[in-house]
């Protein structure tokens, strides 16, 4: 099938198999390897991207479902050489360790802050509840997202 997808503001047209997952389209067809591939069952959340602004686990979305839509990956958070506030927050507050879950966490955090610019700790924890981090107790991740909210 021929699809056209806007990814990080750039339009891409490709012929893809109908069963190709969005995560593989991004990584293998577009070479955007910032989107990680983890469990392949939608349990870990490391493959999270934004589809028309909504966080989705790209291991459960077919690439053809993104036809005519806007996808944002972690590579799309930076604008004109400037890191997004959530990226800065993760640096400032040590919100990452191994970094495997970080792209999904960043995109989920950005979506949360776009909906709710001043979330409390409970709201942050609920928003990232679909993201599995095996390195931390989430304290620094929550702190990083709060930092981003306060850095407006």
């Amino acid at each position: 099938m021929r699809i056209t997808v806007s990814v990080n503001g750039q339009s891409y047209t490709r012929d893809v198999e109908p069963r190709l997952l969005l995560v593989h389209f991004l990584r293998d067809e577009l070479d955007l390897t910032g989107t990680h591939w983890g469990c392949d069952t939608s349990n870990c959340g490391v493959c999270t991207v934004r589809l028309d602004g909504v966080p989705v686990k790209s291991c459960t979305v077919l690439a053809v479902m993104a036809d005519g839509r806007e996808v944002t990956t972690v590579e799309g958070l930076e604008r004109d050489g400037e890191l997004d506030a959530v990226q800065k927050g993760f640096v400032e507050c040590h919100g990452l360790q191994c970094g495997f879950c970080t792209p999904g966490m960043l995109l989920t955090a950005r979506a949360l802050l776009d909906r709710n610019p001043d979330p409390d700790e409970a709201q942050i924890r609920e928003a990232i509840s679909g993201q599995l981090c095996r390195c931390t107790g989430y304290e620094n991740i929550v702190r990083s997202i709060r930092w981003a909210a306060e850095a407006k």
Side-chain angles (χ1 to χ4, degrees), residues 46-61:
V46 302
C47 67
T48 299
V49 298
R50 290 177 67 180
L51 184 60
D52 292 336
V54 177
V56 298
K57 294 177 182 179
S58 62
C59 75
T60 61
V61 175

Side-chain angles (χ1 to χ4, degrees), residues 7-9 18 38 46 53 66 72 75 83 90 97 101 104 106-107 126 129 137 149:
V7 181
N8 302 326
V46 302
T72 305
E75 292 92 344
L83 293 178
F90 272 64
Q97 287 189 14
C101 72
L106 291 171
L107 289 160
E126 182 175 337
S129 66

Side-chain angles (χ1 to χ4, degrees), residues 52-122:
D52 292 336
V54 177
V56 298
K57 294 177 182 179
S58 62
C59 75
T60 61
V61 175
L62 297 171
V64 297
M65 296 168 72
D67 186 31
R69 299 174 77 184
E70 172 65 37
V71 175
T72 305
T73 69
V74 69
E75 292 92 344
L77 286 177
E78 176 189 0
R79 296 282 184 211
D80 300 321
E82 182 75 19
L83 293 178
D84 186 271
V86 294
Q87 292 171 306
K88 290 178 184 177
F90 272 64
V91 171
E92 291 295 322
C93 300
H94 311 287
L96 56 101
Q97 287 189 14
C98 81
F100 194 66
C101 72
T102 304
M105 289 283 189
L106 291 171
L107 289 160
T108 300
R110 171 48 46 217
L112 169 65
L113 294 178
D114 287 350
R115 278 191 328 272
N116 178 359
D118 191 28
D120 61 26
E121 181 176 337

